[in-house]
Amino acid sequence: MPSSPVPVARCRLLVLGSLLLATVAACSEPFPHEQLLADWTEEVILPLHGSLVEEVEKLRNATRSLAAEPSLETLNAARGAWKTTAVLWQEVALYRFDRMLLAHNQVSKRPPDVEFLEETVTAAPETLTAELVAGVGSLSKGLAAIEYLLFEPAGAEDWVEQAGEQPGRAAYVAAASEQLVTSAAAVRDRWLPEGGNYIDTFLNGDSETDGFRRSLGKVLNRVVAVLEESVREQLGRPLAAGGESARPERVEAPRSATSLALLRSRIAGIERVLLAQEGDGLRLADYADHLDAEVDGTALSTLLRNRFGSSLAALDAIPEPLTRSVVEDPDLVRAAYDELRELLVLIKVDLANQLGVTLTFNDNDGD
C-alpha cells in the first residue's frame, strides 16, 4: 500500500467560469496525482471487486443448498447471502466506466422480468441450468431477478411450501446464482492485468497529466450520476417529492425490504471515494485541500465530511422498510432527501468547479 504523502504546500485555485479547468499558481510542491489513483485502486476498487466475487460464490453455495433441500433454514441462509451481495454491489457499481454497462447489467438490472420468470420456473427443474440463464435477457437474471424469486412470496413458510409444489423456483435461483458467479468475475476481470487491464487505463491514460485528469473526470461524473439517481429515484419518487401522494411501490427493493440498506451502501461508497478514513491513502478531499478549496471561508473537505455524516445519520433514522416509512414517517424520509440534495450540490457544483472537472451529465457509456 502506498505510504501517506508528506504535507504539501497549499496553492490558490482560480476558477475560470463554472466548469472550466482550474489554474493553479505558486505551488511549492506538486500534488502526487499518481498516488491518489493508486490508492483508489489498491485500497478501494480492486478489493471491492474481489469481495464481490467471494460473496457471489457464497450466494451460489447457499442457493445450491436451498434447491437441494428447501427449508426455512436454507431459505433464510440464501436470503441473507443475497442481501450481503446486493449491499456490496452498490459500491462496486459506482465504478462503471468506459463500456462496462453491458457487463454490469449482467450482475444487476431492474426491474426484473416477472412475467418471464414466473413462466420459466414452471419448467422441469433439470432444464433450469446456468447455461439457460446465461442466454436470457439481463432483466431475467442477476441480483434483481434472484431477489424476486427468493423473496416472492415474502413469507418464509409460504415460500418453502410453494417450493415443494414448484421446485423450478429454487432450481432457477440456484442456476441464476451459478451464472452470477461468471458475471461477477467478468466485471472484476475487466480491471485485472490478465483480463481487460482497465487498471492500466485508469492509472496511466495516454500521458501522466491527461491520464489523471481523465480518470478524475470519470470518477466524479459517476459520483454525481449515482448520487442524482439516488436522490431522484430511490427517495424522491417513493416520497413523491413533487407534492403527490406517497408511492411506496416505487422503492428500489420492496420485496427484500433492503431499499435503505442499498441506498446507504451507495452513499457510503461515494464517501470512500472522496474522504480518507484513518489508515487510508489519498482521496479527492486531499486534492481539494492541496488546492486550498473553500466555500465561504470553510474548507471544502470539512463541509464534505460534515455533510456525509449528516446524510448517513438521516438515512439511519428512517425505519426499514422504506415502503412503510414513506407513508408513516414521511418527515424522516424527506429529511434524508434534503440532506442528500445538499450533498449533491456540494459535490456537483463546489467540488467539481474547484477541482476543474467538467461534468458531462451523460451516464451512458456506449453499450
Side-chain angles (χ1 to χ4, degrees), residues 128-150:
L128 303 179
T129 63
E131 290 73 23
L132 179 144
V133 176
V136 303
S138 56
L139 294 178
S140 302
K141 58 186 172 186
L143 289 170
I146 295 171
E147 178 196 16
Y148 171 75
L149 292 173
L150 268 182

Side-chain angles (χ1 to χ4, degrees), residues 15 27 49 81 114 120 162 169 174 186 189 233 255 262 291 317 346:
V15 179
C27 292
H49 283 73
V114 171
T120 305
Q162 187 179 95
R169 197 173 199 85
D189 292 350
E233 302 293 335
R255 294 181 177 89
L262 300 183
L291 299 176
L346 194 61

Side-chain angles (χ1 to χ4, degrees), residues 158-213:
D158 291 339
W159 195 99
V160 173
E161 180 180 351
Q162 187 179 95
E165 301 170 355
Q166 189 185 69
R169 197 173 199 85
Y172 195 103
V173 167
S177 298
E178 185 75 42
Q179 197 277 330
L180 186 59
V181 173
T182 300
S183 297
V187 170
R188 176 202 60 193
D189 292 350
R190 289 288 186 99
W191 286 86
L192 301 181
E194 59 271 26
N197 199 24
Y198 192 80
I199 186 174
D200 182 67
T201 300
F202 186 74
L203 290 175
N204 300 316
D206 296 329
S207 67
E208 179 177 322
T209 302
D210 290 344
F212 171 74
R213 180 60 58 185

Side-chain angles (χ1 to χ4, degrees), residues 47-222:
L48 279 174
H49 283 73
S51 295
L52 175 67
V53 175
E54 293 175 1
E55 294 303 329
V56 170
E57 289 173 346
K58 294 177 184 177
L59 174 61
R60 175 198 59 193
N61 294 341
T63 57
R64 281 178 177 173
S65 298
L66 177 64
E69 185 179 353
S71 67
L72 292 178
E73 182 179 0
T74 55
L75 175 61
N76 288 333
R79 286 179 169 181
W82 181 89
K83 289 179 179 179
T84 300
T85 305
V87 167
L88 177 62
W89 172 248
Q90 306 310 304
E91 288 200 59
V92 177
L94 182 61
Y95 301 96
R96 195 191 78 201
F97 304 137
D98 297 342
R99 303 191 65 80
M100 291 184 183
L101 178 61
L102 181 59
H104 276 232
N105 281 349
Q106 300 300 297
V107 175
S108 184
K109 186 176 181 181
R110 294 181 182 276
D113 189 340
V114 171
E115 182 177 354
F116 174 85
L117 292 172
E118 288 294 350
E119 291 177 355
T120 305
V121 298
T122 60
E126 61 271 15
T127 67
L128 303 179
T129 63
E131 290 73 23
L132 179 144
V133 176
V136 303
S138 56
L139 294 178
S140 302
K141 58 186 172 186
L143 289 170
I146 295 171
E147 178 196 16
Y148 171 75
L149 292 173
L150 268 182
F151 293 89
E152 182 68 35
E157 292 183 355
D158 291 339
W159 195 99
V160 173
E161 180 180 351
Q162 187 179 95
E165 301 170 355
Q166 189 185 69
R169 197 173 199 85
Y172 195 103
V173 167
S177 298
E178 185 75 42
Q179 197 277 330
L180 186 59
V181 173
T182 300
S183 297
V187 170
R188 176 202 60 193
D189 292 350
R190 289 288 186 99
W191 286 86
L192 301 181
E194 59 271 26
N197 199 24
Y198 192 80
I199 186 174
D200 182 67
T201 300
F202 186 74
L203 290 175
N204 300 316
D206 296 329
S207 67
E208 179 177 322
T209 302
D210 290 344
F212 171 74
R213 180 60 58 185
R214 278 196 295 274
S215 293
L216 177 64
K218 290 173 184 176
V219 170
L220 204 54
N221 269 278
R222 276 297 291 161

Side-chain angles (χ1 to χ4, degrees), residues 18-21 216-225 228 344-353 355-363:
S18 62
L19 290 174
L20 297 181
L21 294 179
L216 177 64
K218 290 173 184 176
V219 170
L220 204 54
N221 269 278
R222 276 297 291 161
V223 163
V224 169
E228 282 186 330
L344 175 60
V345 170
L346 194 61
I347 295 173
K348 185 175 180 178
V349 177
D350 297 297
L351 184 63
N353 282 357
L355 295 187
V357 173
T358 299
L359 298 178
T360 62
F361 305 102
N362 181 7
D363 195 35

